[in-house]
Every structure is written in C-alpha cells, then in structure tokens.
Amino acid sequence: MQSLILTTATRLLVALLLVFSIYALLRGHNLPGGGFIGGLIGATGFILYVIATSVSDARSALRVDPTNIAMLGVGIAALSGIMGAFAGDPFLTGQWLFLFAAEGEKGLPLSSVLVFDVGVYLAVFGGILTLVFAMEEEI
Amino acid sequence: MSWILVNPILIPLVTAVLAYLFRTSPAGRWISVAGTVVLLFASLILMGEVLEHGVIAGQMSNWQAPFGITLVADYLGGVMVVITAITAMATVIYTLAEIPERLERLGFHALLQVLVAAVCGAFLTGDLFNLYVWFEVMLISSFGLLVLGGSKEQLDGGIKYVTLNLVSTIMFLSGIGLLYGITGTLNMADLHLAVREVENAGLLTTIAVMFMVAFGVKAALFPLFFWLPASYHTPPVAVSAIFAGLLTKVGVYALIRSFTLIFDQDVTFTHTILLWLAVATMVTGVLGAAAMNDFRRILSFHIISQIGYMVLGLALFTPLGLVGAVFYLVHHIIVKANLFFVAGVAKRIGGSTDLSRLGGLYAHAPLLAFLFLIPAFSLAGFPPLSGFWAKYVVVKAALDLEMWFVAGASLAVGLLTIYSMTKIWGAAFWPKHPDGIKPRLGDLPAGERVALMAPIVGLAVLTCIIGLFPEPFVQFAETSAEQLLDPTAYVTTVLGVQP
C-alpha cells in the first residue's frame, strides 16, 4: 500500500523517533528509560519506514545488517562487564570516571553503566529489526 | 574468585560475537574452535578451585546476596561445566566436517556458542530467576539451531519443540512468581532457609509440583517427553549430538538442584511422584526405542529411558541414590553425544540413518564398528565401561531401600537397551548394504576424516577411563551427593553468614 500522507509523515517521524530513542537511552540512568526501551523506540522508527516504503529501502537506509548490530550490542555489553576486571571488581560492577572533578565538585561523571546500556540498545534495536525485516520479506 | 565463575559464561558469549562478525570467512569457524578450547581451560581452572574450597560463590556487579545475581559452583555445578566444555569442543570439531558453508554464513557457530553460554549459565547460577533467563536463552538458541537451513522436516520438528518448551517456560515462570509471593526471595540459598518458615506447607508442595512439571518437560520425563523424539532426528548430526548430550541434562540438573536445595519439605509426597515418573520414563523410553527403525530415532528414545535412571537416583533421596544420579549424568552426556557422532559418520559414508538403508559398516569400516561398540555397551551397562558403574550404583541404592520392583524394572530396561543396540548392530553393521555401497572411512577426505573421528575417539577414551578407574569419579560423586543432601556449605558460602 502506498500512501502519500504516510510517506511524507514518515520522513519526519523517523528522524524524530531516532532522536527520541537516544534521549530515552540517556535519560535512563536515573529516570525511567534506558537501553531496552530506547532500542525499541529506535526500531519503531525503521519499522515505520518499512511500512511506508519497503524492506529493501529500509535495509539500504540502515546500511548495516541488523543482525550485525545486534551481535555488536551483545559484544559491547559484555565488554562493559569486563571493565570491572581492571579495577579488581566482580563482573558487571559499574566503573566511574569523574572528569574535571574538583573539591566538592563531581565534575563530569562517566560510567561503564552507560556503555552497558548502549550495548543493550544496539542488541534490542538490531534484534527487533532482524525479526521484522525477516517477517516482512516472507509476507 | 568471581571472575573464575563468570569465565565459562563470558568466553562462549564473546566467541559468539566474534564468530558471527567473521561468519563469512573461514576465520569464523576457527574462532569457534579456539573459543571452546579456552572454555575448556577456564572450566578446568574453575573445577580446580571447587576441589580446593568445596563451594565457591561470586556476587555479580557487587550486589550482595540475596539481592544481586549470585553465581555458585559446587561439585555438581563444577563438573557439569567441565563436561559441557568437553562436549562443546567435540561438537565444534565435528562441525568442521559436517556443517556446510551455507549454514555457517547464517550464523551457525554464533548460535552454538550462545547455547553453550546458556548451558554454563544454567549450571552456575544461584538464582531462580536467572536460571529462568538462561533457560530462555537456551530455548531461543536451540530453536535457531533446529530450524537453521529451514527444511520442511526441520520446521516441523522445531515447532513441536518450541511449543512444548514454551509451556514448560510458562509453568516455570508462574512457579517462580508464586514462590516469590510466599517467600519474598529468589536466591536459591536464601530460599533454602526461607521455605522453612512458610506456614502454608500445602501451597509450597503445589509450587514444587509446578517446578516438577516445568523441569520435567525440559528433562523429557514421562509423560512430557513427546517433543524430544519429534525433533532430535531432524537437524545436522552435530546439533543433535550437543542437544542429546546437554539439553535434557540441564532439566535433570535443575530437578536435582531444586529438589535437594529448595523443595525438601514434603519428601514422601514429591519424591514418590518422581520415583514412579522415573520408572515410567525408563520403561516407555526403552519400549519406544525398540519400536523405532532409524539410527537417530532409536538414540533419541534412549535419552528418555536413561533420564529415568538419573531421576530415579534423585527420587530415592539417599546418599547412594544421589551418587548414582550425579555419576549417571556425567557418564550419559559423554556416551550419548558419542553415539550421535557415530550415527553421523554412518550417515555420511552409508548414505542414510534409516536402518533398512544402511549396512556393511562392519566389513568396510571396522574402526567405526569398534568405536560404536564402546559407547553402545557403555549405554547398556556392560562392565568395565562407565555405564556399568552408573547403573550399578543406582540399582544398589534401590535394593538398599528394598524397592524390589523398581530395581527389577531398571535391570529389565538395561536388558532392553542391549536389544535395541543389537538391532542397530544387526541392521547397520553386519549385513551387506542394500544398495551395494561399500561404506569406507578411507573414502572421506583426510581432513574431514580427522574432524569426524577425533571427537568419537576422544569421548570413547573418556568412557573407558571412567570405566576402568571409577574410584576417583565415585569418590567425587560421593562428595557431591553429600553437598546436595546437606547444603549448609552452599548456603553459608552464598550468603556469607551462618544460617
């Protein structure tokens, strides 16, 4: 089905959904959100694109094979867990780096927790798109 | 300490990622081989630590038990991880000669490694919900392996497999929810203490039976085994071999763990059910095998009958019974995977796994015939192979309790096992091949011959070693049974306090 309204709206919505998915990912540290929901929202963007155009268009827009994205995500999540080893902590222990920290100032906190979330984001994003692309192609 | 525990899960997972990213080049399969070798070393290091300390535990992400995820290895968990690593290595070497490049490009090795990670995770976790997660990962990856390649027959088997296993999963999850509702914890060591304070004992027994059904489906207990013979003969042989070796054993392991550590309140009720289920499983499995006429189908039914022996050991709930269960678990993984490997080679050189379309293996491939006899006799329980000791201990435990009928049934099942092994021998090895093919091992390319035969020889040697020198293995199983029956060390190591 080709709908002019849908195709036009999709061009705007896909970009919005992708930005919103990153927002949900970053917000997830202390508030509702995170890698899983972020990945789902991001995948929704491309699913919309599939509905409006076709799977082959969506594949070329994504550029990378979604299964590769998913496996990369698993790898990144595993790596974030391994980071704990360098500090002598157990697997998956959160590691923190405070940039520009001063007296009474925390500075800019960076953590391996975010890296883990990014891994989850990519794994969910890639996994969902693999499934949806495969099913749409079957139909 | 905690890293030693994580390694057996982490190594296959990282291997899976690397093998997937390199799936289109030959590097992918060699990464998979290297991963299993590293896994074997990691599991041996873990086993060494377990032997030294008895029980070891690690708190992931530094959240203390019972709030975080705990990984625990006691004697049973440790030995299961080692045996998983051995089976995984044998399987991956075997795949080098069996799996076509088409399946490799679809990510075969990644799925296999994820399966191995999930099995190791299930053996090491000390948390019920985490166990559920590993079960799910195992289900998804094994479903992927079953249907990869997508032939009609495979999809048929795969759908049955996944549907019945999903029922088990739902049952398991509901059981977890109810158990959490009445105890407020899911850490298994903490549950061991918490269930003692539950007032409503009847509800606890109900939950115990839910877990029994859930794990019973996974372990292919009577009457819940239908998915197994419906699916195991369809995928590539290497896949059936690792399924036959490991998947049902995870169910048995979960049964042993939960019915010694958590549900030991109403033993006369729960373990009596287990006892009769075990006997029925043994008998139906072996009768099913006798009715089959396909190499892999016969072996699939034998898995079910052998599961009966292991659960019988647990159901007797005596130290000797549990020794038998643990010993049987280890012995059976080695033997069963090996028999499937032999079936694969027979199919390769003889052209089929259907017994009426096979023949001449004894005349033209005597080495294969000899290598079939070792695991086949071990499965049937011939001395001095490993299966003899496993059966002997279980039957002795039944006789000690004066359960004559149960002991008699398990001996009769052993006899019927020999019957179907001779059936395979009489159809596939003795007579001439119906199509006049001369199935010779020498006709295979040299590289493939090594990759196919090395795992078979290795596992056969292992069976003989366990059979000829059973003393250290039995002692090991005894310590393991002690730990299972008196989980004080397990609980104190996990919770870090005296109960």
Side-chain angles (χ1 to χ4, degrees):
Chain A
M1 177 198 68
Q2 284 293 331
S3 147
L4 187 62
I5 300 172
L6 186 64
T7 14
T8 317
T10 299
R11 298 181 72 87
L12 296 169
L13 280 176
V14 170
L16 260 180
L17 279 168
L18 285 178
V19 172
F20 182 57
S21 80
I22 304 284
Y23 169 74
L25 165 72
L26 295 176
R27 183 175 189 265
H29 193 70
N30 291 322
L31 293 161
F36 192 88
I37 188 71
L40 282 180
I41 296 169
T44 321
F46 274 91
I47 293 169
L48 195 62
Y49 199 76
V50 169
I51 295 170
T53 59
S54 71
V55 176
S56 51
D57 283 350
R59 273 195 198 278
S60 54
L62 190 60
R63 284 162 200 270
V64 191
D65 185 14
T67 44
N68 278 342
I69 299 180
M71 285 314 271
L72 198 70
V74 173
I76 290 175
L79 273 182
S80 83
I82 298 173
M83 282 183 197
F86 300 111
D89 289 329
F91 185 54
L92 283 177
T93 310
Q95 303 299 320
W96 290 85
L97 181 68
F98 296 100
L99 283 185
F100 316 116
E103 287 286 317
E105 272 287 317
K106 266 193 171 173
L108 180 63
L110 296 176
S111 74
S112 70
V113 182
L114 179 65
V115 181
F116 183 79
D117 257 354
V118 171
V120 174
Y121 178 95
L122 292 177
V124 172
F125 181 79
I128 296 283
L129 284 185
T130 307
L131 287 178
V132 171
F133 284 179
M135 281 197 284
E136 280 289 318
E137 274 167 351
E138 291 273 305
I139 294 164
Chain B
M1 188 69 80
S2 73
W3 283 94
I4 296 173
L5 282 159
V6 183
N7 282 339
I9 305 170
L10 204 55
I11 290 166
L13 220 51
V14 174
T15 314
V17 173
L18 291 177
Y20 193 80
L21 296 179
F22 287 97
R23 68 188 184 282
T24 48
S25 77
R29 67 182 84 118
W30 293 108
I31 288 172
S32 192
V33 174
T36 52
V37 174
V38 179
L39 173 66
L40 184 62
F41 278 111
S43 67
L44 288 174
I45 292 172
L46 174 73
M47 196 66 236
E49 286 290 315
V50 171
L51 286 175
E52 196 175 319
H53 296 99
V55 184
I56 54 174
Q59 317 294 346
M60 295 307 102
S61 45
N62 238 349
W63 295 102
Q64 290 311 303
F67 304 109
I69 294 171
T70 313
L71 294 186
V72 203
D74 59 354
Y75 269 49
L76 178 60
V79 76
M80 292 313 283
V81 170
V82 173
I83 218 81
T84 305
I86 293 174
T87 320
M89 196 165 91
T91 309
V92 172
I93 292 174
Y94 195 88
T95 59
L96 293 178
E98 205 216 348
I99 299 302
E101 228 180 88
R102 188 175 63 91
L103 293 189
E104 281 184 345
R105 282 172 190 275
L106 288 171
F108 175 86
H109 284 291
L111 278 171
L112 191 67
Q113 294 290 344
V114 171
L115 178 72
V116 173
V119 171
C120 287
F123 289 145
L124 287 175
T125 185
D127 183 280
L128 265 187
F129 191 77
N130 199 229
L131 182 66
Y132 163 78
V133 173
W134 291 124
F135 268 45
E136 283 288 273
V137 176
M138 211 162 70
L139 181 62
I140 292 165
S141 54
S142 56
F143 179 65
L145 284 171
L146 260 182
V147 299
L148 203 65
S151 78
K152 210 170 172 186
E153 198 189 21
Q154 278 180 309
L155 280 174
D156 176 56
I159 296 294
K160 286 172 190 158
Y161 173 81
V162 85
T163 315
L164 280 166
N165 274 285
L166 277 176
V167 174
S168 142
T169 306
I170 292 166
M171 203 65 148
F172 186 17
L173 195 60
S174 325
I176 288 178
L178 288 171
L179 196 59
Y180 188 70
I182 60 171
T183 59
T185 178
L186 285 177
N187 183 298
M188 292 199 254
D190 202 30
L191 272 174
H192 175 73
L193 304 175
V195 289
R196 270 153 191 72
E197 280 151 32
V198 172
E199 285 165 14
N200 193 344
L203 188 57
L204 203 60
T205 312
T206 315
I207 296 172
V209 175
M210 287 183 82
F211 277 90
M212 198 190 287
V213 174
F215 296 151
V217 175
K218 294 276 171 200
L221 269 184
F222 176 85
L224 309 165
F225 59 76
F226 299 104
W227 57 270
L228 194 153
S231 55
Y232 271 25
H233 61 283
T234 56
V237 176
V239 173
S240 348
I242 199 166
F243 281 17
L246 295 177
L247 289 193
T248 45
K249 307 314 169 299
V250 181
V252 177
Y253 168 85
L255 271 177
I256 293 181
R257 181 66 78 208
S258 54
F259 281 86
T260 53
L261 189 63
I262 306 168
F263 304 114
D264 56 347
Q265 321 296 309
D266 199 355
V267 175
T268 44
F269 182 76
T270 52
H271 287 61
T272 309
I273 299 181
L274 277 177
L275 182 76
W276 293 112
L277 284 181
V279 174
T281 309
M282 279 194 292
V283 176
T284 44
V286 86
L287 290 179
M292 288 295 134
N293 235 335
D294 180 285
F295 210 143
R296 277 202 276 178
R297 275 179 186 257
I298 293 181
L299 295 178
S300 304
F301 269 103
H302 270 295
I303 301 172
I304 300 167
S305 112
Q306 307 286 314
I307 292 291
Y309 283 96
M310 297 165 213
V311 178
L312 178 62
L314 165 69
L316 295 171
F317 212 55
T318 58
L320 198 61
L322 280 168
V323 171
V326 174
F327 199 99
Y328 220 112
L329 212 52
V330 173
H331 137 78
H332 185 255
I333 293 177
I334 299 169
V335 167
K336 189 52 86 177
N338 204 0
L339 281 170
F340 270 91
F341 287 148
V342 173
V345 178
K347 181 185 178 191
R348 188 64 172 269
I349 58 177
S352 174
T353 55
D354 188 343
L355 287 182
S356 60
R357 315 225 28 89
L358 267 176
L361 289 170
Y362 180 66
H364 302 292
L367 176 66
L368 186 71
F370 174 68
L371 287 170
F372 169 74
L373 279 187
I374 294 177
F377 279 172
S378 181
L379 187 77
F382 271 43
L385 296 162
S386 58
F388 168 69
W389 302 105
K391 273 209 176 64
Y392 173 76
V393 175
V394 174
V395 174
K396 173 88 167 41
L399 288 175
D400 283 352
L401 292 172
E402 305 194 336
M403 291 182 172
W404 312 117
F405 178 76
V406 172
S410 49
L411 288 174
V413 169
L415 207 62
L416 283 168
T417 310
I418 303 174
Y419 164 71
S420 39
M421 287 300 133
T422 37
K423 190 163 120 186
I424 295 178
W425 181 260
F429 290 85
W430 272 129
K432 282 210 171 79
H433 198 290
D435 302 341
I437 300 173
K438 288 181 180 161
R440 263 193 287 264
L441 284 175
D443 294 346
L444 294 170
E448 291 194 9
R449 198 161 60 220
V450 171
L452 288 173
M453 296 310 282
I456 299 180
V457 174
L459 293 179
V461 168
L462 217 55
T463 319
C464 292
I465 291 177
I466 298 178
L468 293 171
F469 308 100
E471 196 57 29
F473 297 97
V474 171
Q475 266 173 13
F476 181 91
E478 274 171 0
T479 323
S480 166
E482 273 167 33
Q483 283 184 345
L484 288 171
L485 281 174
D486 178 19
T488 322
Y490 185 99
V491 174
T492 43
T493 314
V494 172
L495 297 178
V497 287
Q498 293 293 330

